[in-house]
Amino acid sequence: ARATASLLAGGLYWFVCILGSAEIKGKRAVNLSGGFIAKEKVQDKYKQYWSFFRRPKEIETTENVPAFVDTFYNLVTDIYEWGWGQSFHFSPAITGKFHREATRLHEEMAVDLLGIKPGARVLDAGCGVGGPMRAIAAHSGANIVGITINEYQVNRARAHNKKAGLDSQCEVVCGNFLQMPFDDNSFDGVYSIEATCHAPKLEEVYSEIYRVLKPGSMYVSYEWVTTELYNSDDPEHVKIIHGIERGDALPGLRNYSDIADVARAVGFEVVKEKDLAKPPANPWWTRLKMGRIAYWRNHIVVTVLSWLGIAPKGTVDVHKMLFVTADYLAKGGDKGIFSPMHMILCRKPEEH
């Protein structure tokens, strides 16, 4: 019996502590939290998050969205880091390469499109815990300033930057990208990777980015969109898109055809526009499908840790929500009605 108990204890230790993150062990399972939400309030905040969707008009109101998104990222940041890695976005699968390398190449392409030089000051609008920021800083030699609405993510990003030896090259600011604390014409380039989808009105975030960007400089964004195959009269299509919106704190997904119009309306010149999910790119959602076994493994871990009182109550609910959302995302990719990587490259005109 003692041997069996030792074996079980050893197995649980390996399962939780050694296994760690699915990719980058930046967060251990035993350290899962609700961000800056007090441990005893995680479940209440989860219920509050879902209540936003029972009042859809509030989601569309600009002043309510930052709190809505902040709550979401307090709830999910640790689970994302533990189960996905430090880059909270998708990338096309690349034959013969691991997900982590495919992710890095997807990030490096964004800064390559900006055409900036080492030492340039570049803004990461919606930086999360800074996975892309660190890859882009190391690749380009640029000085990156990231902004995120979530203070917990700021702390996580700063800790990761220091650990990577990039804290002198990467700065992180807590703020709202709809009202940024930066001077006009102060950045040599700006990128946003699957982040502006959280803005209730795209023109509000694009106009702020336009303001802080130097004349003649470039902005690139990877946007979450519905594609030309999306049919708003098809109930299954609508269910999938609503599922993505609910599980990812989105005030409403935009259609691909609206993106360039918004960019031009705030003053940008549109240089290039391309859906990076289209063939010959390999499916970006392959990783979600392959991750189903890992999900059940992780769900057992989360359930046990919650039962033991190590993880906050409500963590199981949040983890289940993210799995359901992953299924909607994969369906959206399979049907070709959703893309998380509609790329738009814009230039702020030179002043005359």
Side-chain angles (χ1 to χ4, degrees), residues 31 38 58 61 110-111 128 163 165 168 172 188-189 207-208 216 252 279 282 294:
N31 294 325
E58 285 197 20
T61 308
V111 76
K163 191 175 179 181
S168 63
V172 191
D188 300 302
S207 62
E208 262 297 85
N282 291 324

Side-chain angles (χ1 to χ4, degrees), residues 63-320:
E63 58 265 26
N64 289 320
V65 170
F68 168 66
V69 174
D70 185 41
T71 296
F72 174 76
Y73 278 111
N74 270 322
L75 291 169
V76 305
T77 290
D78 276 0
I79 292 175
Y80 274 3
E81 267 202 70
W82 174 56
W84 189 262
Q86 294 174 21
S87 293
F88 297 176
H89 65 81
F90 298 105
S91 56
I94 300 175
T95 305
K97 294 191 185 295
F98 291 112
H99 293 304
R100 192 157 69 180
E101 192 173 355
T103 296
R104 179 180 56 78
L105 292 170
H106 194 56
E107 293 163 351
E108 289 175 357
M109 182 175 67
V111 76
D112 288 345
L113 287 165
L114 296 179
I116 50 94
K117 296 175 182 175
R121 188 170 186 250
V122 175
L123 174 66
D124 181 333
C127 66
V129 298
M133 170 193 293
R134 288 181 287 281
I136 285 169
H139 172 70
S140 68
N143 296 312
I144 315 294
V145 180
I147 186 168
T148 172
I149 193 80
N150 184 259
E151 197 173 344
Y152 182 69
Q153 289 190 336
V154 171
N155 287 8
R156 293 294 299 162
R158 286 175 179 163
H160 287 311
N161 291 347
K162 190 170 184 179
K163 191 175 179 181
L166 290 166
D167 47 330
S168 63
Q169 213 179 322
C170 297
E171 178 189 345
V172 191
V173 175
C174 189
N176 183 352
F177 61 21
L178 303 177
Q179 297 169 310
M180 291 192 280
F182 307 124
D183 292 337
D184 295 357
N185 309 322
S186 57
F187 288 96
D188 300 302
V190 181
Y191 65 87
S192 51
I193 297 179
E194 303 184 29
T196 56
C197 49
H198 291 300
K201 294 177 182 173
L202 192 61
E203 53 267 31
E204 290 181 353
V205 63
Y206 274 17
S207 62
E208 262 297 85
I209 287 167
Y210 184 90
R211 178 183 69 77
V212 303
L213 189 62
K214 290 178 182 176
S217 296
M218 309 284 272
Y219 166 53
V220 65
S221 183
Y222 295 168
E223 294 287 346
W224 280 32
V225 297
T226 55
T227 71
E228 74 284 355
L229 297 178
Y230 174 67
N231 178 4
S232 59
D233 294 324
D234 185 323
E236 189 182 6
H237 285 196
V238 172
K239 182 181 179 183
I240 290 168
I241 297 304
H242 283 176
I244 293 170
E245 290 168 348
R246 281 197 304 272
D248 284 298
L250 307 181
L253 272 169
R254 285 168 270 272
N255 188 260
Y256 79 102
S257 61
D258 299 331
I259 309 301
D261 289 343
V262 171
R264 291 189 186 99
V266 305
F268 280 119
E269 298 168 355
V270 176
V271 177
K272 188 176 182 182
E273 193 177 14
K274 182 182 180 182
D275 186 349
L276 302 176
K278 299 272 190 202
N282 291 324
W284 55 266
W285 60 94
T286 304
R287 186 178 172 193
L288 290 172
K289 288 188 169 182
M290 288 169 61
R292 282 176 178 162
I293 293 170
Y295 162 77
W296 287 111
R297 174 201 72 197
N298 291 353
H299 201 65
I300 292 165
V301 172
V302 169
T303 303
V304 170
L305 292 175
S306 186
W307 179 71
L308 292 172
I310 296 168
K313 270 189 174 180
T315 308
V316 176
D317 295 325
V318 175
H319 193 258
K320 185 178 179 182

